[in-house]
């Protein structure tokens, strides 16, 4: 099924799709692996972990985009009983669309690409997943379900179990565009070791912040 037939707004011919991304380097990946061993049911533990990592905290007040902290590289961190860290966004800019200006690509530490010959969004997903595979081995779950609306590639969830937590690398619907566009993220969230992963069709809602 094409994006058009699925009812998604695919933009104008002269509005190229943009992928904005903030790379996850080996140091940040290792930090996230350590964070995945914490008790994320305790909000104070997560707050301390971000402070100890040198992430700029917004304190008692959320930032302009409801973020709780910002990494030195420029990633915005969200979540209360989880850590949600987007590292790529895929969108187009149009005055009447979900993004009226190239906001993500202008953030400090972020870069953007309009190269239509490569799938930068998927490349970033694969690169981040590869970093965690180097540190943790292959994911415990590697689940594909339905096709992403713009590119038509399969939506893929790679999940590592860390005790009673899950560390996931996946694409999802971007709430800032009211789900018109997508983002790619790392999430750490509680998931009891004995609990099964939800069915594939429920993962897009399960891994939200």
């Amino acid at each position: 099924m094409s994006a058009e037939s699925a009812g998604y707004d695919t933009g104008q011919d002269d509005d190229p799709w943009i992928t904005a991304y903030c790379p996850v380097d080996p140091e940040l990946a290792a930090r996230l692996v350590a964070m995945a061993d914490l008790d994320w049911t305790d909000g104070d533990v997560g707050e301390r972990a971000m402070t100890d990592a040198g992430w700029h905290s917004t304190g008692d007040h959320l930032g302009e985009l409801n973020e709780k902290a910002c990494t030195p590289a420029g990633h915005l961190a969200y979540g209360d009983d989880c850590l949600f860290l987007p590292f790529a966004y895929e969108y187009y800019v149009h005055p009447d669309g979900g993004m009226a200006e190239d906001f993500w690509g202008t953030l400090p530490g972020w870069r953007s690409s309009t190269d239509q010959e490569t799938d930068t969004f998927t490349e970033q997903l694969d690169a981040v997943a590869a970093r965690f595979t180097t540190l943790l081995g292959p994911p415990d779950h590697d689940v594909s379900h339905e096709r992403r609306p713009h590119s038509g590639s399969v939506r893929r969830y790679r999940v590592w179990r860390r005790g009673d937590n899950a560390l996931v690398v996946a694409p999802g619907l971007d709430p800032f565009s009211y789900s018109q566009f997508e983002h790619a993220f790392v999430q750490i969230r509680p998931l009891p070791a004995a609990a099964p992963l939800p069915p594939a069709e429920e993962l897009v809602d399960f891994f939200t912040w």
Side-chain angles (χ1 to χ4, degrees):
M1 179 182 292
S2 69
E4 292 87 344
S5 61
Y8 292 95
D9 183 354
T10 57
Q12 307 297 319
D13 291 340
D14 56 351
D15 297 322
W17 281 84
I18 300 169
T19 298
Y21 58 98
C22 187
V24 174
D25 64 19
E27 181 180 357
L28 178 56
R31 175 72 68 172
L32 290 169
V33 166
M35 287 182 170
D37 292 330
L38 302 176
D39 179 6
W40 282 92
T41 62
D42 183 340
D44 291 338
V45 169
E47 294 282 353
R48 287 197 299 271
M50 288 186 278
T51 299
D52 292 345
W55 298 6
H56 174 71
S57 173
T58 55
D60 294 333
H61 302 284
L62 296 177
E64 293 182 1
L65 295 175
N66 293 327
E67 76 273 16
K68 299 189 72 174
C70 180
T71 73
H75 307 89
L76 302 183
Y78 304 90
D80 293 320
D81 57 354
C82 72
L83 174 65
F84 194 89
L85 196 79
F87 58 84
Y89 288 87
E90 188 176 65
Y91 54 94
Y92 65 85
V93 174
H94 189 273
D96 300 321
M99 291 283 288
E101 59 184 19
D102 186 5
F103 173 77
W104 296 113
T106 62
L107 290 178
W110 288 71
R111 62 195 74 169
S112 60
S113 171
T114 57
D115 184 356
Q116 301 300 299
E117 300 301 318
T118 61
D119 186 352
T120 305
F121 187 84
T122 298
E123 288 175 355
Q124 290 300 308
L125 273 165
D126 291 344
V128 174
R131 293 228 184 273
F132 289 113
T133 298
T134 298
L135 294 168
L136 299 173
D140 297 287
H141 308 277
D142 191 338
V143 181
S144 296
H145 174 66
E146 72 181 354
R147 294 195 173 275
R148 294 175 40 234
H150 165 53
S151 69
S153 59
V154 174
R155 185 172 280 134
R156 187 177 178 186
Y157 304 86
R158 283 165 278 203
V159 184
W160 288 263
R161 297 278 194 152
R162 302 293 293 173
D164 286 325
N165 291 328
L167 186 156
V168 59
V169 175
L173 299 175
D174 166 32
F176 294 110
S177 65
Y178 299 98
S179 299
Q180 287 190 49
F181 304 133
E182 288 195 292
H183 56 192
F185 60 86
V186 177
Q187 184 179 149
I188 300 168
R189 59 161 297 147
L191 181 65
L197 193 69
E201 62 270 16
E202 297 178 11
L203 293 181
V204 69
D205 293 321
F206 185 73
F207 292 121
T208 60
W209 59 273

